[in-house]
Amino acid sequence: MARVRYLCKTIFRMLTLLIAVSILSFVLIEKSPIDPLVAYVGTNSTLTQEAKDEIAEHWGLNDPPVQRFVTWAKNFVQGDWGDSITFKKPVKTVIKERFQYSLALMLVAWVFSGVLGFLLGIIAAVKRGTFLDKVIKTFCLVLQSAPTFWIGLLLLSLFAVKLQWFPIGLAAPMGKMAEDVTLWDRIYHMILPAFTLSVLGIGKITLYTRQKLVEIMNSDFMLFAKARGENTRQLVCRHGIRNIALPAITLQFASFSELFGGIALAESVFSYPGLGSAVTSAGLNADVPLLLGIAVFSAMFVFVGNLCANLLYSILDPRIKEGMQSEK
């Protein structure tokens, strides 16, 4: 019963969030100085005024903003997300085509940042106060303060332009037929963008893991285990990892929002054809249907990621179970 009540409250919060995101996104797009008609036909267009009026009428650009939003919301609830002005395709099709690239990129970056950050945090905690600990902390602080596009440009300049170890961009080799593109081609083109995107999470998970493990290592039960003759490796493996794994997993699931925030910059730097580059193109063209569709879709994805983290935490942590049962 408690879980059902929790799910109902969660779904209500998600619906409220989606409504707020859609309204805020629409208002921000409306306040944009970019004219969608000019972006659609071009600044040097030779079309007549009648042709331009017909285009504006087709896309509903002459309607009042409130009417356009209500029309969009009504169609969205019915499953019609509209057509993209930029790509001349249904918004659902654009999101489906682009999201498969972004999802692969985010999953690789998410796993890499979580595993590497967790391991670096453990090493820093075990070696706390040493030169290695200071190097890891400095490295993480630099990563957290550095903009994503700056890291991407540095990696692109060094590994793609100077050393020529990796391709400059795109998701597949240029001039190669789609059916001839191999899995290695996809992975090869994904390495630099994925590493750039993973920078967002490495520093946070490392510093968090280090702090939690240091606190646990100084706790009474760890001192008792040490007095029983357990060495550092046994202390970390038997007691430390068990106590820091769940909070680290929760923090890592919550990083979906940061991945979505940084994916646009990472994909733009490497010309990666994902959802982030579609957002950039839609923003430059004031593509309201596509921007609203991506905003709502992103909010749902991030919310589901946080929900999975909460559910996983409640299942694995006995204290959360007891708290939910006490609400009955």
Side-chain angles (χ1 to χ4, degrees):
M1 187 64 182
R3 290 185 184 275
V4 175
R5 195 159 49 238
Y6 172 76
L7 287 175
C8 291
K9 291 181 180 179
T10 302
I11 293 174
F12 176 76
R13 288 200 302 268
M14 183 179 71
L15 293 177
T16 306
L17 173 66
L18 295 181
I19 294 173
V21 167
S22 59
I23 294 175
L24 181 60
S25 300
F26 184 82
V27 171
L28 292 176
I29 297 169
E30 280 296 315
K31 297 299 182 181
S32 170
I34 300 176
D35 187 349
L37 181 60
V38 175
Y40 181 81
V41 302
T43 54
N44 299 322
S45 174
T46 57
L47 291 176
T48 62
Q49 187 60 40
E50 293 181 357
K52 293 181 180 179
D53 292 340
E54 290 180 1
I55 294 174
E57 184 67 25
H58 173 74
W59 292 107
L61 300 177
N62 294 328
D63 298 333
V66 176
Q67 181 180 343
R68 278 192 287 145
F69 178 77
V70 171
T71 302
W72 172 85
K74 191 180 301 182
N75 294 333
F76 185 86
V77 172
Q78 296 174 354
D80 181 10
W81 292 23
D83 296 326
S84 170
I85 299 175
T86 305
F87 297 97
K88 315 299 188 297
K89 296 179 180 179
V91 171
K92 281 186 176 180
T93 303
V94 177
I95 293 178
K96 181 180 178 181
E97 293 176 351
R98 295 296 185 116
F99 184 65
Q100 59 183 344
Y101 291 101
S102 296
L103 181 61
L105 185 62
M106 285 190 295
L107 285 178
V108 173
W110 184 74
V111 172
F112 180 78
S113 62
V115 173
L116 182 59
F118 192 70
L119 292 177
L120 288 177
I122 293 175
I123 295 174
V126 172
K127 301 293 184 181
R128 62 186 182 277
T130 64
F131 177 75
L132 181 59
D133 178 31
K134 295 178 181 179
V135 170
I136 292 177
K137 288 192 296 183
T138 303
F139 173 72
C140 293
L141 292 174
V142 171
L143 289 184
Q144 283 195 289
S145 59
T148 305
F149 72 90
W150 183 73
I151 296 291
L153 289 174
L154 286 180
L155 296 175
L156 190 66
S157 302
L158 177 60
F159 294 104
V161 177
K162 187 174 182 179
L163 299 178
Q164 297 183 356
W165 290 355
F166 298 99
I168 294 179
L170 303 178
M174 294 182 61
K176 202 170 185 178
M177 300 294 291
E179 56 271 15
D180 297 331
V181 177
T182 63
L183 179 61
W184 168 245
D185 292 331
R186 301 289 188 189
I187 296 175
Y188 185 52
H189 281 73
M190 190 192 298
I191 293 176
L192 283 184
F195 182 77
T196 301
L197 192 59
S198 67
V199 166
L200 291 170
I202 290 178
K204 179 178 292 186
I205 193 69
T206 299
L207 295 176
Y208 180 81
T209 301
R210 178 192 178 278
Q211 181 63 29
K212 295 295 292 185
L213 187 56
V214 168
E215 293 176 0
I216 291 172
M217 294 290 286
N218 293 329
S219 61
D220 293 338
F221 76 91
M222 291 291 275
L223 295 176
F224 177 72
K226 187 183 296 185
R228 290 188 305 175
E230 296 187 20
N231 54 34
T232 303
R233 180 176 176 276
Q234 292 174 328
L235 291 174
V236 173
C237 294
R238 292 181 180 178
H239 311 289
I241 294 179
R242 181 184 303 176
N243 287 276
I244 64 176
L246 286 177
I249 290 174
T250 305
L251 181 65
Q252 188 65 5
F253 269 94
S255 66
F256 276 128
S257 58
E258 295 183 3
L259 287 177
F260 255 111
I263 197 170
L265 297 175
E267 290 182 353
S268 297
V269 170
F270 294 95
S271 301
Y272 200 79
L275 206 59
S277 58
V279 171
T280 303
S281 301
L284 294 176
N285 294 319
D287 192 343
V288 178
L290 182 56
L291 285 172
L292 288 177
I294 293 177
V296 174
F297 178 80
S298 303
M300 287 191 294
F301 185 80
V302 173
F303 192 91
V304 170
N306 292 335
L307 177 61
C308 291
N310 292 335
L311 293 176
L312 180 65
Y313 201 77
S314 64
I315 291 173
L316 298 180
D317 195 333
R319 293 169 298 179
I320 303 297
K321 286 183 181 180
E322 294 174 359
M324 294 182 66
Q325 291 175 356
S326 64
E327 295 179 0
K328 294 183 179 181

